[in-house]
Structures are given as structure tokens and as C-alpha cells.
Amino acid sequence: MAGLPQPTSVEHRPLPKDYMMESVLATLFCCLLTGLIAIVYSHETRAALGRGDLAQAEVASRKARSLVLFSLLFGVFVSTSWVIYVVVALYLP
């Protein structure tokens, strides 16, 4: 088959994750403000994937992931601080 062109290899990247479930859980349990913004970016990721715009979907996915992580860390920090405050207030005269 000397006359046929060889097929070129195409790089297949996985689709970016939208982090919608994580965004909703972070909104409910950790931090309302950043969780809501993460939901907006999660929806933007889904919309970009629907349009076929993988570059915009990746950017929105990274923003959603960052906001989810920030919400989670902020929620853990606030909860830990509250527990420490209550323990100190109850057991110190």
C-alpha cells in the first residue's frame, strides 16, 4: 500500500472535569460565597464542553477546582477555629 497516505496520530486528551458536585457540596457545607462562584464556573465548564471549546472548558474547570479547594480549606479552618474557641471558652476561667 505504497500509494495511500499514512494516518496521522491524533492526541486525545481527556475532557476536563466540571466539579459541579464538589461545588454544590462546598457551597452547602463550607463557604457559601466561593461555593456559589465555583458553581458558576462549573456551569461554564459544562457550557464550554457543549460548544466544543476545550480550551475555555479547561480554564473554567481549573477555576472551579481552585474555588472548591479554597472553600474546603476555609470551611475546615473556620470549623477548627470555632471548636478551639468553644473549648477555650468552656474550660478556661
Side-chain angles (χ1 to χ4, degrees), residues 46-59:
R46 285 185 178 183
L49 286 173
R51 290 191 310 266
D53 188 0
L54 291 179
Q56 182 63 32
E58 287 179 10
V59 170

PDB file of all heavy atoms in Angstrom, residues 46-59:
ATOM      1  N   ARG A  46     -19.334  23.174  31.758  1.00  0.00           N
ATOM      2  CA  ARG A  46     -20.299  22.345  31.016  1.00  0.00           C
ATOM      3  C   ARG A  46     -20.737  23.025  29.720  1.00  0.00           C
ATOM      4  O   ARG A  46     -20.869  22.376  28.685  1.00  0.00           O
ATOM      5  CB  ARG A  46     -21.527  22.064  31.879  1.00  0.00           C
ATOM      6  CG  ARG A  46     -21.282  21.050  32.948  1.00  0.00           C
ATOM      7  CD  ARG A  46     -22.551  20.715  33.685  1.00  0.00           C
ATOM      8  NE  ARG A  46     -22.317  19.685  34.687  1.00  0.00           N
ATOM      9  CZ  ARG A  46     -23.248  19.160  35.430  1.00  0.00           C
ATOM     10  NH1 ARG A  46     -24.503  19.562  35.305  1.00  0.00           N
ATOM     11  NH2 ARG A  46     -22.952  18.235  36.319  1.00  0.00           N
ATOM     12  N   ALA A  47     -20.962  24.337  29.785  1.00  0.00           N
ATOM     13  CA  ALA A  47     -21.380  25.062  28.582  1.00  0.00           C
ATOM     14  C   ALA A  47     -20.280  25.050  27.527  1.00  0.00           C
ATOM     15  O   ALA A  47     -20.553  24.869  26.332  1.00  0.00           O
ATOM     16  CB  ALA A  47     -21.769  26.493  28.948  1.00  0.00           C
ATOM     17  N   ALA A  48     -19.034  25.241  27.958  1.00  0.00           N
ATOM     18  CA  ALA A  48     -17.917  25.227  27.003  1.00  0.00           C
ATOM     19  C   ALA A  48     -17.741  23.845  26.387  1.00  0.00           C
ATOM     20  O   ALA A  48     -17.444  23.724  25.196  1.00  0.00           O
ATOM     21  CB  ALA A  48     -16.634  25.678  27.699  1.00  0.00           C
ATOM     22  N   LEU A  49     -17.920  22.794  27.178  1.00  0.00           N
ATOM     23  CA  LEU A  49     -17.848  21.441  26.621  1.00  0.00           C
ATOM     24  C   LEU A  49     -18.973  21.203  25.617  1.00  0.00           C
ATOM     25  O   LEU A  49     -18.771  20.548  24.600  1.00  0.00           O
ATOM     26  CB  LEU A  49     -17.917  20.398  27.739  1.00  0.00           C
ATOM     27  CG  LEU A  49     -16.656  20.242  28.582  1.00  0.00           C
ATOM     28  CD1 LEU A  49     -16.913  19.306  29.750  1.00  0.00           C
ATOM     29  CD2 LEU A  49     -15.499  19.761  27.748  1.00  0.00           C
ATOM     30  N   GLY A  50     -20.145  21.751  25.898  1.00  0.00           N
ATOM     31  CA  GLY A  50     -21.264  21.622  24.971  1.00  0.00           C
ATOM     32  C   GLY A  50     -21.001  22.329  23.650  1.00  0.00           C
ATOM     33  O   GLY A  50     -21.433  21.868  22.589  1.00  0.00           O
ATOM     34  N   ARG A  51     -20.282  23.442  23.700  1.00  0.00           N
ATOM     35  CA  ARG A  51     -19.919  24.172  22.479  1.00  0.00           C
ATOM     36  C   ARG A  51     -18.738  23.532  21.762  1.00  0.00           C
ATOM     37  O   ARG A  51     -18.453  23.868  20.617  1.00  0.00           O
ATOM     38  CB  ARG A  51     -19.518  25.613  22.815  1.00  0.00           C
ATOM     39  CG  ARG A  51     -20.619  26.505  23.275  1.00  0.00           C
ATOM     40  CD  ARG A  51     -20.154  27.953  23.326  1.00  0.00           C
ATOM     41  NE  ARG A  51     -18.904  28.134  24.050  1.00  0.00           N
ATOM     42  CZ  ARG A  51     -18.803  28.457  25.338  1.00  0.00           C
ATOM     43  NH1 ARG A  51     -19.890  28.622  26.043  1.00  0.00           N
ATOM     44  NH2 ARG A  51     -17.621  28.627  25.904  1.00  0.00           N
ATOM     45  N   GLY A  52     -18.009  22.681  22.482  1.00  0.00           N
ATOM     46  CA  GLY A  52     -16.816  22.081  21.902  1.00  0.00           C
ATOM     47  C   GLY A  52     -15.565  22.913  22.113  1.00  0.00           C
ATOM     48  O   GLY A  52     -14.534  22.653  21.500  1.00  0.00           O
ATOM     49  N   ASP A  53     -15.626  23.908  22.973  1.00  0.00           N
ATOM     50  CA  ASP A  53     -14.494  24.792  23.258  1.00  0.00           C
ATOM     51  C   ASP A  53     -13.689  24.214  24.425  1.00  0.00           C
ATOM     52  O   ASP A  53     -13.913  24.540  25.588  1.00  0.00           O
ATOM     53  CB  ASP A  53     -15.016  26.190  23.606  1.00  0.00           C
ATOM     54  CG  ASP A  53     -13.920  27.214  23.726  1.00  0.00           C
ATOM     55  OD1 ASP A  53     -12.742  26.850  23.543  1.00  0.00           O
ATOM     56  OD2 ASP A  53     -14.243  28.382  24.011  1.00  0.00           O
ATOM     57  N   LEU A  54     -12.741  23.334  24.102  1.00  0.00           N
ATOM     58  CA  LEU A  54     -11.986  22.636  25.138  1.00  0.00           C
ATOM     59  C   LEU A  54     -11.050  23.556  25.900  1.00  0.00           C
ATOM     60  O   LEU A  54     -10.836  23.369  27.095  1.00  0.00           O
ATOM     61  CB  LEU A  54     -11.201  21.480  24.532  1.00  0.00           C
ATOM     62  CG  LEU A  54     -12.037  20.317  24.020  1.00  0.00           C
ATOM     63  CD1 LEU A  54     -11.146  19.248  23.420  1.00  0.00           C
ATOM     64  CD2 LEU A  54     -12.876  19.733  25.131  1.00  0.00           C
ATOM     65  N   ALA A  55     -10.507  24.564  25.243  1.00  0.00           N
ATOM     66  CA  ALA A  55      -9.588  25.482  25.921  1.00  0.00           C
ATOM     67  C   ALA A  55     -10.322  26.257  27.016  1.00  0.00           C
ATOM     68  O   ALA A  55      -9.834  26.360  28.152  1.00  0.00           O
ATOM     69  CB  ALA A  55      -8.955  26.435  24.919  1.00  0.00           C
ATOM     70  N   GLN A  56     -11.482  26.801  26.693  1.00  0.00           N
ATOM     71  CA  GLN A  56     -12.268  27.537  27.692  1.00  0.00           C
ATOM     72  C   GLN A  56     -12.771  26.599  28.783  1.00  0.00           C
ATOM     73  O   GLN A  56     -12.844  26.983  29.955  1.00  0.00           O
ATOM     74  CB  GLN A  56     -13.448  28.249  27.021  1.00  0.00           C
ATOM     75  CG  GLN A  56     -14.288  29.061  27.966  1.00  0.00           C
ATOM     76  CD  GLN A  56     -13.507  30.197  28.599  1.00  0.00           C
ATOM     77  OE1 GLN A  56     -12.610  30.766  27.995  1.00  0.00           O
ATOM     78  NE2 GLN A  56     -13.838  30.530  29.832  1.00  0.00           N
ATOM     79  N   ALA A  57     -13.101  25.381  28.430  1.00  0.00           N
ATOM     80  CA  ALA A  57     -13.565  24.407  29.424  1.00  0.00           C
ATOM     81  C   ALA A  57     -12.455  24.083  30.414  1.00  0.00           C
ATOM     82  O   ALA A  57     -12.711  23.963  31.614  1.00  0.00           O
ATOM     83  CB  ALA A  57     -14.047  23.135  28.729  1.00  0.00           C
ATOM     84  N   GLU A  58     -11.227  23.952  29.938  1.00  0.00           N
ATOM     85  CA  GLU A  58     -10.109  23.673  30.836  1.00  0.00           C
ATOM     86  C   GLU A  58      -9.849  24.833  31.789  1.00  0.00           C
ATOM     87  O   GLU A  58      -9.581  24.627  32.973  1.00  0.00           O
ATOM     88  CB  GLU A  58      -8.852  23.351  30.037  1.00  0.00           C
ATOM     89  CG  GLU A  58      -8.899  21.995  29.381  1.00  0.00           C
ATOM     90  CD  GLU A  58      -7.654  21.699  28.574  1.00  0.00           C
ATOM     91  OE1 GLU A  58      -6.674  22.461  28.669  1.00  0.00           O
ATOM     92  OE2 GLU A  58      -7.667  20.691  27.854  1.00  0.00           O
ATOM     93  N   VAL A  59      -9.934  26.063  31.285  1.00  0.00           N
ATOM     94  CA  VAL A  59      -9.720  27.242  32.135  1.00  0.00           C
ATOM     95  C   VAL A  59     -10.800  27.317  33.208  1.00  0.00           C
ATOM     96  O   VAL A  59     -10.509  27.516  34.400  1.00  0.00           O
ATOM     97  CB  VAL A  59      -9.713  28.526  31.277  1.00  0.00           C
ATOM     98  CG1 VAL A  59      -9.750  29.767  32.144  1.00  0.00           C
ATOM     99  CG2 VAL A  59      -8.487  28.550  30.371  1.00  0.00           C
TER     100      VAL A  59
END
